[in-house]
Amino acid sequence: MTFVDLLSALYLDHDVAALDRLYLHRAIRRQQGGRLFGRSAIRQAILSDLARFEGWDVTIHAGTDTFVDLEWLSPDGVRVRRHHWAWYENDRIAADVVITQGKAETPLSTHHGLLGELDSGRGQIGPGPLSGFSETSCQLHTLWNGRSLASLKQLYHDGLVWQGPEDRGGLRDLKAWWLKQFLTYPQSHIIFEREVAFGGHIALLWQWGRIDGQGVRTRVTGSSLLNSVDGRIAVETLLTDEG
């Protein structure tokens, strides 16, 4: 059973017993700013999902053995998008991360260590190099951590289809959203945690440490699914675990 097969069994067939066939009993889930410890706790979260989305249509947009992008659609047209990430140990899932778009989520807890210095780069002038990731991820690193909005047109397609945590639209909406983040969080740094490339897609998992103008520190988990056309990003779904 693959990761895609498992989520299909859980959310299309409501076969919760399938969880036992792929997850270790000591599996850990990172979700909504907190952690669930053990397969039993993860099972309860899935049962909560099934109750919450009863009567909704669910679609799996893309997936691999380690990443799945799915979406629920209610009878009255409400959409909820979610990214699942998985880590394996001896062919069974030992840990996962779940990032759901939607403000109906209630945080499990505040769970982060001290953030420390967030102005990245050599001499605090600009972002240092990102190693071990694709050229696209390196460009996003420069954009996000260097606040280099001038590179948007080189990185993104003019006809971009963008879905963000709070809105959807095109290139102008993407730019407006990032400008809002840069103004709200004068100190911030995004750490690229994982990248998966498959079928013309790139999926990215990242951690976002932030300090706002009042000195309040937060840490957010984010996930992006990208699709490129002629070397530029044409479709992006960007989710964070704060809604």
Side-chain angles (χ1 to χ4, degrees):
M1 173 176 283
T2 68
F3 196 33
V4 175
D5 292 337
L6 172 66
L7 293 186
S8 297
L10 293 176
Y11 293 121
L12 293 175
D13 303 330
H14 295 184
D15 179 13
V16 182
L19 186 79
D20 297 338
R21 298 196 285 273
L22 196 59
Y23 275 74
L24 292 174
H25 73 281
R26 55 179 170 78
I28 298 173
R29 169 166 290 186
R30 202 165 83 212
Q31 176 178 334
Q32 298 167 245
R35 282 169 169 76
L36 300 175
F37 294 93
R39 190 169 60 201
S40 295
I42 295 173
R43 183 185 296 110
Q44 288 302 113
I46 291 167
L47 290 171
S48 177
D49 283 340
L50 295 179
R52 176 186 175 189
F53 297 115
E54 174 65 28
W56 294 40
D57 292 329
V58 59
T59 301
I60 295 179
H61 293 293
T64 70
D65 285 343
T66 57
F67 170 83
V68 174
D69 171 41
L70 56 83
E71 185 174 37
W72 282 273
L73 176 64
S74 75
D76 56 353
V78 176
R79 295 178 182 273
V80 174
R81 196 75 171 257
R82 178 178 285 178
H83 288 173
H84 287 254
W85 292 81
W87 282 259
Y88 288 79
E89 183 178 310
N90 296 325
D91 298 324
R92 302 188 75 185
I93 295 174
D96 68 7
V97 174
V98 176
I99 303 170
T100 303
Q101 179 192 46
K103 291 189 175 299
E105 297 289 313
T106 301
L108 296 176
S109 63
T110 300
H111 187 103
H112 62 74
L114 295 176
L115 298 180
E117 178 60 65
L118 296 183
D119 290 332
S120 66
R122 298 174 179 174
Q124 306 304 317
I125 295 174
L130 181 68
S131 61
F133 286 83
S134 66
E135 179 61 27
T136 296
S137 294
C138 291
Q139 290 177 299
L140 285 171
H141 164 62
T142 300
L143 168 63
W144 293 345
N145 289 319
R147 290 144 170 83
S148 178
L149 290 175
S151 64
L152 274 171
K153 286 186 176 283
Q154 287 74 47
L155 182 56
Y156 287 92
H157 198 277
D158 293 340
L160 172 71
V161 176
W162 178 73
Q163 178 175 313
E166 303 155 0
D167 203 357
R168 62 178 63 201
L171 188 59
R172 179 177 297 178
D173 303 279
L174 166 68
K175 182 177 181 180
W177 188 80
W178 275 114
L179 280 171
K180 177 183 176 183
Q181 307 313 309
F182 296 157
L183 289 170
T184 304
Y185 304 103
Q187 292 189 76
S188 72
H189 183 69
I190 290 177
I191 298 173
F192 287 68
E193 187 172 344
R194 196 174 187 187
E195 177 183 72
V196 177
F198 62 99
H201 300 283
I202 294 176
L204 291 171
L205 181 66
W206 36 275
Q207 291 285 320
W208 188 7
R210 314 179 304 191
I211 302 176
D212 68 15
Q214 285 70 50
V216 176
R217 297 168 176 246
T218 53
R219 187 181 294 278
V220 171
T221 300
S223 181
S224 301
L225 181 62
L226 315 169
N227 187 287
S228 296
V229 174
D230 297 328
R232 291 194 293 170
I233 299 170
V235 181
E236 176 180 273
T237 301
L238 189 157
L239 309 182
T240 67
D241 62 2
E242 64 175 357

